[in-house]
Amino acid sequence: MFNSNNNVFEPFEKKVYLSSPTPHIEGMDYIREAYDTNWLSTVGANIDAIEEDIASKVGCKYAVGLASGTAALHMCARLAGIKPGDKIFSSDMTFDATVNPMVYEGADPVFIDTEYDTWCMDPVALEEAFRLYPEVKVVVCANLYGTPAKLDEIRDICSRHGAALIEDAAESLGATYKGRQTGTFGDYNAISFNGNKIITGSAGGMFLTDSIDDANKVRKWSTQSRENAPWYQHEELGYNYRISNIIAGFIRGQIPYLDEHIAAKKTIYMRYKEAFADLPVTMNPYDEVNSEPNFWLSCIMVNEDAMCRQVRSERDALFTAEPGKSCPTEILNAIGSINAEGRPIWKPMHMQPIYRNCGFVTREGNGRATTNAYINGGQVGKDGRPLDVGMDIFDRGLCLPSDNKMTESQQDRIIQVVRACFE
Ligand SMILES: Cc1ncc(COP(=O)(O)O)c(C=O)c1O
């Protein structure tokens, strides 16, 4: 395969993924046990075990196994009492499942810009948002790519403004902030076991809480709100959101390996970091004093002065190769050409057609949608940096193959391919 500088790299015979499942054989034993005992539905020993294991790992009192992280976030939205037309604040640079469940309840989201230190919600922009919309009572904050947001600051701002915090820890299971596990900072918390997550059931999620009342509500709502009666008795709206005992078995087999998965992800991150130390790029950052991410995805961002020209429309991207410079589109093409999987940074929600008419708040007030924040000279703040930080990171950043089954020699070839883009 040739990259734009005519370097030749052999493609991998077997694709190297961004982040694929890493199952363990014990999972098959638990699934087998479910089969043999005929506990094949949404009740059973595997569900009980993963709820106990995750609660004890994370350090919360109750964990409720659900069909997905999205379902868990929907339960959070219901508990937070979101009503149609309510404005809520949401992380902007995240997967859309952070905010969609709020909109299921009729929320009108206002997106809060990102900061450069963690690539998560900017507390300065959040404070500014409360100045603009003091009536807001719910904030949903995601820990992007397994990196804890500035959770203390965000927690404190929510408390001062009487707003509930929903922590979307879908990507950050096992990450800690000031020694405490993510998924415990919100009034309501969600994690995901989706197929690409650090532990996966192929699907699945969990609601985490210290409140027995909230745990019980979620248990009830997620099983069609069945009342305790001899017949199907329903007094509230319900959902079919409970996790299956088969999927729970698959998850159960991986939980003892969570720390091992994280260590493998960290090694990948550190190897990229070292290999790119002399390139004009930076890794996705984290607060090295206060936090320990789970390093779910390793990402890089190209320095502003090393960006070649790149133009993105709604669905396509083009770039012009330039010696010594590169851009995410070129790097992603090069990675793809050797049968490996990278991915653009999650495109900010305020730039998504579905959410483009929603509010968007930057550290300096109401923002506006800007395509190509960096290249086309979008709005610049008082500090001279792009005001739309999320779009700047989206323009210049990308996710690298971060699969923890990737061998060192495979990673080395990916590193060579990325380096060649800057020749
Ligand atoms: C940040 C974030 N929030 C929510 C979700 C939703 O989780 P799930 O796919 O399990 O519904 C995901 C992952 O898919 C995610 O990455």
Side-chain angles (χ1 to χ4, degrees), residues 66-73 93-99 101 141-145 168-172 190-197 202-206 296 346:
L66 297 168
S68 64
T70 307
L73 284 159
M93 198 170 84
T94 183
F95 187 56
D96 72 342
T98 300
V99 66
C141 174
N143 301 311
L144 195 79
Y145 302 140
D168 177 356
E171 299 175 358
S172 68
I191 57 171
S192 164
F193 299 116
N194 168 302
N196 61 12
K197 296 298 184 286
S202 70
M206 264 187 186
W296 175 55
W346 297 182

Short mmCIF file of all heavy atoms in Angstrom, two decimals, residues 66-73 93-99 101 141-145 168-172 190-197 202-206 296 346, ligand 1:
data_model
loop_
_atom_site.label_atom_id
_atom_site.label_comp_id
_atom_site.label_asym_id
_atom_site.label_seq_id
_atom_site.Cartn_x
_atom_site.Cartn_y
_atom_site.Cartn_z
N LEU A 66 -28.37 -3.40 32.84
CA LEU A 66 -29.36 -3.01 31.84
C LEU A 66 -28.90 -3.42 30.45
O LEU A 66 -27.76 -3.86 30.26
CB LEU A 66 -29.60 -1.49 31.91
CG LEU A 66 -30.17 -0.99 33.25
CD1 LEU A 66 -30.11 0.51 33.35
CD2 LEU A 66 -31.61 -1.49 33.44
N ALA A 67 -29.80 -3.26 29.49
CA ALA A 67 -29.53 -3.75 28.13
C ALA A 67 -28.45 -2.94 27.43
O ALA A 67 -27.82 -3.44 26.49
CB ALA A 67 -30.82 -3.70 27.31
N SER A 68 -28.22 -1.71 27.84
CA SER A 68 -27.22 -0.86 27.19
C SER A 68 -26.89 0.33 28.07
O SER A 68 -27.64 0.65 29.02
CB SER A 68 -27.75 -0.35 25.83
OG SER A 68 -28.87 0.49 26.05
N GLY A 69 -25.80 1.00 27.72
CA GLY A 69 -25.48 2.25 28.40
C GLY A 69 -26.53 3.30 28.09
O GLY A 69 -26.85 4.14 28.95
N THR A 70 -27.08 3.24 26.89
CA THR A 70 -28.12 4.20 26.50
C THR A 70 -29.34 4.03 27.41
O THR A 70 -29.93 5.01 27.89
CB THR A 70 -28.53 3.97 25.03
OG1 THR A 70 -27.34 3.98 24.23
CG2 THR A 70 -29.49 5.02 24.54
N ALA A 71 -29.71 2.77 27.67
CA ALA A 71 -30.84 2.50 28.57
C ALA A 71 -30.52 3.05 29.97
O ALA A 71 -31.39 3.64 30.63
CB ALA A 71 -31.11 1.01 28.64
N ALA A 72 -29.27 2.86 30.42
CA ALA A 72 -28.88 3.36 31.74
C ALA A 72 -29.01 4.88 31.79
O ALA A 72 -29.51 5.45 32.77
CB ALA A 72 -27.46 2.92 32.06
N LEU A 73 -28.56 5.53 30.72
CA LEU A 73 -28.67 7.01 30.68
C LEU A 73 -30.12 7.45 30.61
O LEU A 73 -30.50 8.49 31.17
CB LEU A 73 -27.87 7.56 29.49
CG LEU A 73 -26.35 7.55 29.75
CD1 LEU A 73 -25.57 7.60 28.44
CD2 LEU A 73 -25.95 8.71 30.66
N MET A 93 -18.55 17.37 22.91
CA MET A 93 -17.73 16.44 22.14
C MET A 93 -17.86 15.07 22.81
O MET A 93 -17.16 14.74 23.76
CB MET A 93 -16.27 16.90 22.12
CG MET A 93 -15.48 16.22 21.01
SD MET A 93 -13.87 16.96 20.81
CE MET A 93 -12.94 16.11 22.05
N THR A 94 -18.82 14.32 22.32
CA THR A 94 -19.12 13.01 22.90
C THR A 94 -19.87 12.20 21.87
O THR A 94 -20.20 12.69 20.79
CB THR A 94 -19.94 13.16 24.20
OG1 THR A 94 -20.15 11.86 24.78
CG2 THR A 94 -21.30 13.81 23.96
N PHE A 95 -20.14 10.94 22.20
CA PHE A 95 -21.00 10.10 21.36
C PHE A 95 -22.44 10.55 21.60
O PHE A 95 -22.79 10.93 22.73
CB PHE A 95 -20.79 8.64 21.78
CG PHE A 95 -21.46 7.65 20.90
CD1 PHE A 95 -21.22 7.61 19.54
CD2 PHE A 95 -22.34 6.72 21.44
CE1 PHE A 95 -21.84 6.67 18.73
CE2 PHE A 95 -22.96 5.77 20.63
CZ PHE A 95 -22.71 5.75 19.28
N ASP A 96 -23.29 10.47 20.58
CA ASP A 96 -24.62 11.06 20.73
C ASP A 96 -25.49 10.37 21.78
O ASP A 96 -26.49 10.93 22.22
CB ASP A 96 -25.35 11.16 19.39
CG ASP A 96 -25.80 9.82 18.85
OD1 ASP A 96 -25.28 8.78 19.32
OD2 ASP A 96 -26.66 9.81 17.95
N ALA A 97 -25.06 9.16 22.20
CA ALA A 97 -25.85 8.46 23.23
C ALA A 97 -25.77 9.16 24.58
O ALA A 97 -26.54 8.85 25.49
CB ALA A 97 -25.39 7.02 23.37
N THR A 98 -24.84 10.11 24.74
CA THR A 98 -24.82 10.90 25.98
C THR A 98 -26.10 11.72 26.08
O THR A 98 -26.72 11.82 27.14
CB THR A 98 -23.61 11.86 26.00
OG1 THR A 98 -22.41 11.10 25.91
CG2 THR A 98 -23.59 12.74 27.24
N VAL A 99 -26.51 12.29 24.96
CA VAL A 99 -27.61 13.26 25.01
C VAL A 99 -28.94 12.69 24.52
O VAL A 99 -30.00 13.11 24.98
CB VAL A 99 -27.22 14.55 24.24
CG1 VAL A 99 -27.05 14.30 22.76
CG2 VAL A 99 -28.20 15.67 24.49
N PRO A 101 -30.72 10.08 25.19
CA PRO A 101 -31.70 9.65 26.20
C PRO A 101 -32.36 10.83 26.94
O PRO A 101 -33.47 10.70 27.44
CB PRO A 101 -30.88 8.80 27.17
CG PRO A 101 -29.70 8.36 26.38
CD PRO A 101 -29.39 9.49 25.46
N CYS A 141 -22.54 14.81 31.81
CA CYS A 141 -21.13 15.00 31.49
C CYS A 141 -20.48 13.65 31.20
O CYS A 141 -20.57 12.72 31.99
CB CYS A 141 -20.44 15.67 32.69
SG CYS A 141 -18.65 15.79 32.50
N ALA A 142 -19.79 13.54 30.05
CA ALA A 142 -19.15 12.29 29.65
C ALA A 142 -17.64 12.36 29.89
O ALA A 142 -17.03 13.42 29.69
CB ALA A 142 -19.42 12.02 28.17
N ASN A 143 -17.06 11.23 30.29
CA ASN A 143 -15.60 11.11 30.42
C ASN A 143 -15.09 10.54 29.10
O ASN A 143 -15.12 9.32 28.88
CB ASN A 143 -15.24 10.19 31.58
CG ASN A 143 -15.81 10.68 32.89
OD1 ASN A 143 -15.66 11.84 33.24
ND2 ASN A 143 -16.48 9.79 33.61
N LEU A 144 -14.63 11.42 28.22
CA LEU A 144 -14.33 11.02 26.85
C LEU A 144 -13.11 10.11 26.74
O LEU A 144 -12.06 10.40 27.29
CB LEU A 144 -14.11 12.28 26.00
CG LEU A 144 -14.15 12.02 24.50
CD1 LEU A 144 -15.58 11.91 24.00
CD2 LEU A 144 -13.39 13.09 23.74
N TYR A 145 -13.27 9.06 25.97
CA TYR A 145 -12.20 8.11 25.66
C TYR A 145 -11.57 7.50 26.91
O TYR A 145 -10.40 7.10 26.90
CB TYR A 145 -11.12 8.78 24.79
CG TYR A 145 -11.65 9.33 23.49
CD1 TYR A 145 -11.20 10.55 22.99
CD2 TYR A 145 -12.59 8.65 22.76
CE1 TYR A 145 -11.69 11.06 21.80
CE2 TYR A 145 -13.10 9.15 21.57
CZ TYR A 145 -12.64 10.36 21.09
OH TYR A 145 -13.14 10.86 19.91
N ASP A 168 -21.85 10.30 32.62
CA ASP A 168 -21.81 9.30 31.57
C ASP A 168 -20.40 8.71 31.56
O ASP A 168 -19.48 9.23 30.95
CB ASP A 168 -22.14 9.95 30.21
CG ASP A 168 -22.04 8.95 29.06
OD1 ASP A 168 -21.65 7.79 29.31
OD2 ASP A 168 -22.34 9.34 27.91
N ALA A 169 -20.28 7.60 32.30
CA ALA A 169 -18.99 6.92 32.42
C ALA A 169 -18.94 5.72 31.47
O ALA A 169 -18.21 4.76 31.71
CB ALA A 169 -18.74 6.51 33.87
N ALA A 170 -19.71 5.80 30.38
CA ALA A 170 -19.80 4.68 29.43
C ALA A 170 -18.43 4.23 28.95
O ALA A 170 -18.18 3.04 28.77
CB ALA A 170 -20.67 5.07 28.23
N GLU A 171 -17.55 5.21 28.73
CA GLU A 171 -16.24 4.88 28.14
C GLU A 171 -15.15 4.75 29.20
O GLU A 171 -14.02 4.45 28.87
CB GLU A 171 -15.85 5.98 27.14
CG GLU A 171 -16.84 6.11 25.98
CD GLU A 171 -16.54 7.26 25.02
OE1 GLU A 171 -15.58 8.03 25.27
OE2 GLU A 171 -17.29 7.41 24.05
N SER A 172 -15.46 5.02 30.47
CA SER A 172 -14.38 5.22 31.44
C SER A 172 -14.39 4.23 32.61
O SER A 172 -13.80 4.52 33.65
CB SER A 172 -14.43 6.66 31.98
OG SER A 172 -15.58 6.86 32.76
N ALA A 190 -23.96 6.19 34.73
CA ALA A 190 -24.16 5.11 33.76
C ALA A 190 -22.82 4.61 33.23
O ALA A 190 -21.89 5.41 33.03
CB ALA A 190 -25.01 5.61 32.59
N ILE A 191 -22.73 3.29 32.99
CA ILE A 191 -21.59 2.72 32.28
C ILE A 191 -22.12 1.85 31.14
O ILE A 191 -23.31 1.52 31.11
CB ILE A 191 -20.66 1.88 33.19
CG1 ILE A 191 -21.44 0.75 33.88
CG2 ILE A 191 -19.95 2.75 34.22
CD1 ILE A 191 -20.54 -0.25 34.62
N SER A 192 -21.23 1.51 30.22
CA SER A 192 -21.64 0.71 29.05
C SER A 192 -20.76 -0.52 28.90
O SER A 192 -19.56 -0.48 29.17
CB SER A 192 -21.52 1.58 27.79
OG SER A 192 -21.55 0.77 26.62
N PHE A 193 -21.38 -1.61 28.43
CA PHE A 193 -20.64 -2.83 28.06
C PHE A 193 -20.80 -3.10 26.57
O PHE A 193 -20.78 -4.24 26.13
CB PHE A 193 -21.16 -4.02 28.87
CG PHE A 193 -21.00 -3.90 30.36
CD1 PHE A 193 -22.11 -3.85 31.18
CD2 PHE A 193 -19.74 -3.83 30.93
CE1 PHE A 193 -21.98 -3.74 32.56
CE2 PHE A 193 -19.59 -3.72 32.31
CZ PHE A 193 -20.71 -3.68 33.13
N ASN A 194 -20.99 -2.04 25.81
CA ASN A 194 -21.10 -2.12 24.36
C ASN A 194 -19.87 -2.84 23.77
O ASN A 194 -18.81 -2.87 24.39
CB ASN A 194 -21.22 -0.67 23.87
CG ASN A 194 -21.05 -0.48 22.40
OD1 ASN A 194 -20.02 -0.84 21.84
ND2 ASN A 194 -22.04 0.09 21.78
N GLY A 195 -20.01 -3.35 22.56
CA GLY A 195 -18.98 -4.19 21.95
C GLY A 195 -17.58 -3.63 21.88
O GLY A 195 -16.62 -4.39 21.79
N ASN A 196 -17.43 -2.31 21.89
CA ASN A 196 -16.07 -1.77 21.78
C ASN A 196 -15.51 -1.32 23.14
O ASN A 196 -14.40 -0.80 23.20
CB ASN A 196 -16.03 -0.61 20.78
CG ASN A 196 -16.93 0.55 21.18
OD1 ASN A 196 -17.41 0.59 22.31
ND2 ASN A 196 -17.15 1.47 20.27
N LYS A 197 -16.25 -1.53 24.23
CA LYS A 197 -15.83 -0.98 25.52
C LYS A 197 -14.77 -1.87 26.20
O LYS A 197 -14.49 -2.98 25.77
CB LYS A 197 -17.04 -0.80 26.45
CG LYS A 197 -18.05 0.23 25.91
CD LYS A 197 -17.44 1.60 25.81
CE LYS A 197 -18.44 2.68 25.36
NZ LYS A 197 -18.79 2.64 23.95
N SER A 202 -21.00 -7.79 24.56
CA SER A 202 -21.50 -7.62 23.19
C SER A 202 -22.47 -6.44 23.19
O SER A 202 -22.53 -5.67 22.25
CB SER A 202 -22.14 -8.87 22.59
OG SER A 202 -23.38 -9.15 23.21
N ALA A 203 -23.20 -6.30 24.26
CA ALA A 203 -24.05 -5.14 24.53
C ALA A 203 -24.21 -5.12 26.05
O ALA A 203 -23.72 -6.02 26.73
CB ALA A 203 -25.40 -5.31 23.86
N GLY A 204 -24.88 -4.11 26.54
CA GLY A 204 -25.15 -4.07 27.98
C GLY A 204 -24.72 -2.75 28.60
O GLY A 204 -23.94 -1.99 28.00
N GLY A 205 -25.24 -2.49 29.77
CA GLY A 205 -24.89 -1.27 30.49
C GLY A 205 -25.31 -1.41 31.94
O GLY A 205 -25.87 -2.44 32.34
N MET A 206 -25.03 -0.37 32.73
CA MET A 206 -25.41 -0.42 34.14
C MET A 206 -25.71 0.97 34.66
O MET A 206 -25.07 1.95 34.25
CB MET A 206 -24.27 -0.99 34.99
CG MET A 206 -24.42 -2.44 35.25
SD MET A 206 -23.17 -3.01 36.41
CE MET A 206 -23.53 -4.75 36.31
N TRP A 296 -8.89 3.97 27.27
CA TRP A 296 -9.71 3.18 26.35
C TRP A 296 -9.30 3.42 24.89
O TRP A 296 -9.09 2.47 24.16
CB TRP A 296 -11.20 3.51 26.56
CG TRP A 296 -12.11 2.85 25.60
CD1 TRP A 296 -12.18 1.50 25.36
CD2 TRP A 296 -13.08 3.47 24.76
NE1 TRP A 296 -13.16 1.26 24.41
CE2 TRP A 296 -13.71 2.44 24.03
CE3 TRP A 296 -13.50 4.80 24.56
CZ2 TRP A 296 -14.73 2.69 23.12
CZ3 TRP A 296 -14.51 5.05 23.65
CH2 TRP A 296 -15.10 4.01 22.93
N TRP A 346 -14.92 12.11 17.92
CA TRP A 346 -16.39 12.20 17.93
C TRP A 346 -16.77 13.64 17.53
O TRP A 346 -16.36 14.60 18.20
CB TRP A 346 -16.98 11.90 19.29
CG TRP A 346 -16.81 10.54 19.93
CD1 TRP A 346 -17.35 10.20 21.15
CD2 TRP A 346 -16.13 9.35 19.48
NE1 TRP A 346 -17.02 8.89 21.45
CE2 TRP A 346 -16.27 8.35 20.45
CE3 TRP A 346 -15.39 9.04 18.33
CZ2 TRP A 346 -15.73 7.07 20.32
CZ3 TRP A 346 -14.83 7.76 18.21
CH2 TRP A 346 -15.02 6.81 19.17
C1 LIG B 1 -19.98 8.36 25.77
C2 LIG B 1 -20.97 7.28 25.54
N1 LIG B 1 -22.18 7.39 26.10
C3 LIG B 1 -23.11 6.45 25.96
C4 LIG B 1 -22.87 5.32 25.22
C5 LIG B 1 -23.98 4.35 25.04
O1 LIG B 1 -23.69 3.07 25.45
P1 LIG B 1 -24.37 1.82 24.72
O2 LIG B 1 -23.76 1.67 23.37
O3 LIG B 1 -24.09 0.70 25.64
O4 LIG B 1 -25.83 2.11 24.63
C6 LIG B 1 -21.61 5.15 24.63
C7 LIG B 1 -21.23 3.96 23.85
O5 LIG B 1 -21.72 3.40 23.02
C8 LIG B 1 -20.65 6.16 24.77
O6 LIG B 1 -19.46 6.05 24.20
#
